[in-house]
Structure formats: C-alpha cells, structure tokens
Amino acid sequence: MEKIKSTTVVAIKHNGEVVIGADGQATMGNTVAKSTVNKIRKLQGGKIVTGFAGSTADAFTLLEKFEEKLGAFGNNMKRAAVELAKEWRMDRMLSRLEAMMIVADSQDILIISGTGDVIEPDMEIATIGSGSMYAQSAARAMKKFAPQLSAEEMVRESLGIAADVCIYTNHNLVVEKVVK
C-alpha cells in the first residue's frame, strides 16, 4: 500500500510578522486522497506554529516528539529543534520516518529534516514539500518586488502560485499567524 503524502508548506517572516501556511492536498501515489488536510499545528497557544510535508503519520510522530522536546527544554524552540533532529537521525525507528517540518516562533523560522539538518533559511522564507520551489520562488519575488504586502498575503499568494503549477498542491489553504 502506498503512503499518503502531504505537500506544500510556506513560512515567511516579514515586517515583524511570522506566518505559516499549507495547502490541503494529500496524495496516495497519483491520486488525491484528501483535499482538505490541515498540515499546520499551533503549539504553546500559537506562540510556536509548525507545518509538515511528507507522510502524514510520520509527521504526527515527529510533531509529538517536537512537543516533548519543547517541554524538556523550557519551550526553547531552537534547542528543541536541534535535539529533535539529533534524535531523528540517531534513533533507529525515527530515522525511517519520511517527513519534514517547518517550525516558527515570533523570532525564527527553522526547517527540520531527518538527515539531522536544522536550517535557518535565507530571506526569512522557508518552504517544504513537492511545491516548495514554486512557492519559494514566488515568495522571494514578493519580498523583493512587493514589500508592501503583509506576510500573510505573501504566504497565500506563494501557495496559490504553487497550486497553479504543481499537481500535488491545491488551493485549499490553512494559514496561521504566530502569536508574539
């Protein structure tokens, strides 16, 4: 049986706001399995927001582990992300998980991968999933040529452009603003 996979997630920090959003499509092979998946989760009352791409069950496992790390390290997002990445890479069961995460608070956006990477992206734009390069290109262009837009508008437009060109991304968006 093929795994259900989830696709495009974008986080942007712009003019003091951090917003993260995702499309709602989950695919199983070449088929849309569900078009209204919520790939965004608010933690700590919205002070930390996460988004995931990849296998849905794997992503939820990682989300639970990330929440454990947040608790263990006093809600220090960067420290929790590094500790999750270390465990994800070293633990035999976790190392088989197929997902990526973006985590964001009011100060930072991080991409966490199963290869042990914790990346603080350039231009305060993070994207993951099959439509990520389309969304990233659109977000970079908006930051450069349309700085009057809000972070939320940039996230929505980036995901919309990705959905227009990526068959694994749709227009059913969930967008959340990080609470300061």
Side-chain angles (χ1 to χ4, degrees):
M1 179 147 202
E2 294 189 61
K3 287 186 180 181
I4 294 177
K5 295 189 176 185
S6 303
T7 52
T8 308
V9 182
V10 178
I12 297 175
K13 182 177 181 184
H14 183 68
N15 291 337
E17 290 185 325
V18 179
V19 177
I20 186 168
D23 76 303
Q25 186 165 302
T27 59
M28 189 180 308
N30 296 341
T31 305
V32 175
K34 185 172 170 89
S35 63
T36 57
V37 175
N38 183 354
K39 303 167 196 171
I40 304 296
R41 296 291 181 268
K42 294 189 287 188
L43 308 174
Q44 309 298 317
K47 291 180 181 177
I48 296 175
V49 181
T50 67
F52 62 84
S55 172
T56 305
D58 292 355
F60 281 117
T61 300
L62 293 169
L63 182 61
E64 288 173 11
K65 285 286 186 186
F66 181 66
E67 285 185 284
E68 286 175 19
K69 299 297 182 191
L70 279 172
F73 295 102
N75 296 326
N76 181 326
M77 187 185 77
K78 279 189 175 181
R79 178 76 189 273
V82 169
E83 294 301 322
L84 173 63
K86 285 173 22 182
E87 184 176 350
W88 189 354
R89 184 176 174 151
M90 303 296 268
D91 183 274
R92 176 171 251 177
M93 193 244 351
L94 289 180
S95 68
R96 296 176 190 213
L97 298 181
E98 296 178 13
M100 291 184 77
M101 294 177 63
I102 294 175
V103 297
D105 64 15
S106 64
Q107 300 300 310
D108 298 296
I109 299 171
L110 304 171
I111 300 171
I112 309 170
S113 78
T115 57
D117 295 318
V118 176
I119 300 166
E120 199 164 357
D122 292 336
M123 293 185 68
E124 299 178 317
I125 299 168
T127 61
I128 57 174
S130 49
S132 66
M133 290 300 104
Y134 306 115
Q136 184 177 53
S137 296
R140 290 175 71 109
M142 282 183 264
K143 270 201 145 193
K144 185 172 183 178
F145 298 109
Q148 74 280 6
L149 296 176
S150 70
E152 181 174 343
E153 290 170 317
M154 289 181 183
V155 165
R156 288 184 181 282
E157 288 300 317
S158 297
L159 286 166
I161 289 167
D164 288 343
V165 293
C166 177
I167 63 169
Y168 297 108
T169 305
N170 70 17
H171 290 276
N172 295 332
L173 309 181
V174 174
V175 177
E176 294 288 349
K177 184 177 174 182
V178 173
V179 175
K180 291 185 180 183

